[in-house]
Amino acid sequence: DIQMTQSPSSLSASVGDRVTITCRASQSSSFSLNWYQQKPGTAPKLLITSTSSLQSGVPSRFSGSGSGTDFTLTITNLQPEDFATYYCQQSYAFGQGTKVEIK
Amino acid sequence: QLQLQESGPGLVKPSETLSLTCTVSGGSISSNNHYWAWIRQPPGKGLEWIGSVHYSGTTYYNPSLKSRVTISVDTSKNQFSLMLSSVTAADTAVYYCARDYGDVRTDYWGQGTLVTASS
């Protein structure tokens, strides 16, 4: 079974900072590597598919990269609305989430 | 604009079967390019993909839940449903219905419904 491991589980950052979240898959897969953003009390929002393709309407400060089993979500110039929990996903497996909090 | 709405009991007794329905509006469930999924999130915890169904009836399930899960579709009502048998307290979660496109990319979500497994 595929498993996704995210790090860190949480981080504190300031507005304007650059933030990097990593996601490691237990095995290489042909499935799309996706990233989601979730704010409290709301459903997740799809940000990125196929490792690096931004969904329509997602700001360009979000970017994704990686290959094989190692993937990264980067947020540059962090904005107040970006404080949320982020999940990676590949096939049926989600990472455990990374909470981005205000420093 | 596509909308999904979960419905069903908010309380289920341990050992019984959880049943939820998702009604799709603003679009047809009979789309060749989409699967219709269930995803859950225990309070304060992360996301767990349960499974999905195509309008043709083809299903995919999370291996960890496969023995207890049935997902079905009713194209005449533009609905799909989840049944999870032999529930325990560990099945207490917000259950989301959603649309998958391509290979498990979930682009539309319902608002979620909390189901509590308790006597």
Side-chain angles (χ1 to χ4, degrees), chain A residues 52-68:
Chain A
S52 59
S53 296
L54 259 62
Q55 287 292 99
S56 175
V58 174
S60 59
R61 63 181 179 271
F62 290 90
S63 64
S65 63
S67 63

Side-chain angles (χ1 to χ4, degrees), chain B residues 1-115:
Chain B
Q1 175 78 347
L2 191 74
Q3 293 186 320
L4 299 94
Q5 179 66 58
E6 305 87 354
S7 60
L11 182 65
V12 182
K13 289 183 168 55
S15 80
E16 295 190 346
T17 296
L18 177 159
S19 294
L20 294 173
T21 296
C22 182
T23 301
V24 179
S25 59
S28 174
I29 206 169
S30 300
S31 165
N32 229 17
N33 298 325
H34 299 106
Y35 277 72
W36 305 92
W38 290 97
I39 296 156
R40 70 180 183 179
Q41 185 170 37
K45 297 187 178 180
L47 300 165
E48 182 175 34
W49 190 85
I50 300 170
S52 66
V53 63
H54 188 257
Y55 83 94
S56 64
T58 300
T59 54
Y60 293 98
Y61 298 130
N62 188 322
S64 68
L65 295 169
K66 186 174 184 177
S67 63
R68 298 195 291 132
V69 173
T70 302
I71 299 176
S72 58
V73 63
D74 186 338
T75 56
S76 67
K77 295 181 179 179
N78 229 34
Q79 294 177 333
F80 62 106
S81 299
L82 168 69
M83 295 181 68
L84 179 66
S85 64
S86 304
V87 301
T88 70
D91 295 310
T92 294
V94 173
Y95 285 76
Y96 294 100
C97 63
R99 186 183 82 169
D100 279 355
Y101 76 96
D103 57 356
V104 199
R105 312 167 195 219
T106 310
D107 60 349
Y108 282 92
W109 298 68
Q111 64 185 26
T113 187
L114 175 63
V115 180

Side-chain angles (χ1 to χ4, degrees), chain A residues 20-39:
Chain A
T20 298
I21 299 167
T22 63
C23 179
R24 174 165 288 176
S26 60
Q27 61 194 69
S28 185
S29 169
S30 60
F31 278 79
S32 172
L33 189 288
N34 310 318
W35 289 98
Y36 299 84
Q37 175 194 66
Q38 187 179 31
K39 297 181 179 179

